[in-house]
Amino acid sequence: MGKERLAYWANWPDFIKSDTTGAWKQASSWHYVNIDPMTDFKAFEQNLKAQAGPSLYTQVNTLSSQIKDKNTSEKDRKIALIFLIHIMGDLAQPLHVGRAEDLGGNKINVTYFGEKTNLHSVWDGKLVDSQKYSYTEYSKLLDIKSKEEVAQIQSGTLEDWLYDSHKIANKIYAQTPNDSKLSYDYQYKFNETMERQLLYGGLRLAKVLNELF
Ligand SMILES: [Zn+2]
């Protein structure tokens, strides 16, 4: 990345969704993988593997291969790395492993402290932003696990990690129907989960990057 920090670029794949030239259109499906509600890992894994087309699931491996491939240009490897960092974050946001029918909660209307929004948005940022920590502060506050705990969190396969998020998505769906009015009680219910996902997302990203570099 040269002198640039990973965190600086981490959100860029979301910014370019607003690009009107069409240059990044093919990347819009990389941020998520839709899946019907499953409560059995084997069925979940089968369904994942049977899906066609690029998704969050396929792109983690595709981007990793591009980064490893020394024949890929420096510029393309850098772009692949930025996307990989970003989608490893998306992977930890449960509603990026949600349902097609509501676009991962985008079509579930809720209010959050009286403001009209949707469930996906609440989990993409609002729950985190409500704590009013800077990202630097939050990463310091959460990164307190022992070596053994970190090893445990970083264990498992990509499919395990996606299933982990999917199970949480099922719980979120069950507890947040359309027209829910969310405020302090919702934070109280889900803050621990949100913080777990921030931590797990970061540690699993670290694992993937350590293996690549
Ligand atoms: Zn994204």
Side-chain angles (χ1 to χ4, degrees), residues 10-11 13-14 17 28 30-32 86-87 89-90 96 120 124:
N11 261 346
D14 276 347
K17 286 178 184 167
S28 62
W30 302 359
H31 296 253
Y32 58 89
H86 180 89
I87 67 171
D90 280 344
H96 282 247
H120 188 94
D124 252 3

Side-chain angles (χ1 to χ4, degrees), residues 179-190:
D179 290 331
S180 292
K181 291 180 173 50
L182 313 178
S183 65
Y184 293 111
D185 56 333
Y186 197 73
Q187 290 182 345
Y188 180 66
K189 207 186 276 178
F190 280 116

Side-chain angles (χ1 to χ4, degrees), residues 1 4 6 9-13 63 67 75-88:
M1 296 293 290
E4 290 162 350
L6 299 188
W9 282 102
N11 261 346
W12 179 78
L63 294 166
I67 293 163
K75 182 173 162 261
D76 286 346
R77 291 177 70 218
K78 186 173 164 182
I79 291 171
L81 177 58
I82 293 168
F83 266 103
L84 181 65
I85 294 160
H86 180 89
I87 67 171
M88 282 303 298

Side-chain angles (χ1 to χ4, degrees), residues 104-165:
N106 273 299
K107 292 210 274 194
I108 297 178
N109 298 313
V110 300
T111 61
Y112 189 70
F113 289 93
E115 180 205 341
K116 279 187 185 170
T117 181
N118 65 69
L119 183 59
H120 188 94
S121 227
V122 168
W123 280 88
D124 252 3
K126 292 188 195 313
L127 274 179
V128 182
D129 295 340
S130 290
Q131 297 308 309
K132 296 197 165 57
Y133 293 124
S134 73
Y135 296 140
T136 314
E137 285 168 339
Y138 228 157
S139 64
K140 280 188 184 145
L141 286 168
L142 297 177
D143 191 15
I144 51 169
K145 297 288 183 192
S146 70
K147 258 192 168 147
E148 294 72 27
E149 287 169 312
V150 169
Q152 176 59 34
I153 294 164
Q154 291 178 326
S155 67
T157 62
L158 175 59
E159 290 82 3
D160 290 323
W161 297 347
L162 285 161
Y163 188 55
D164 194 20
S165 282

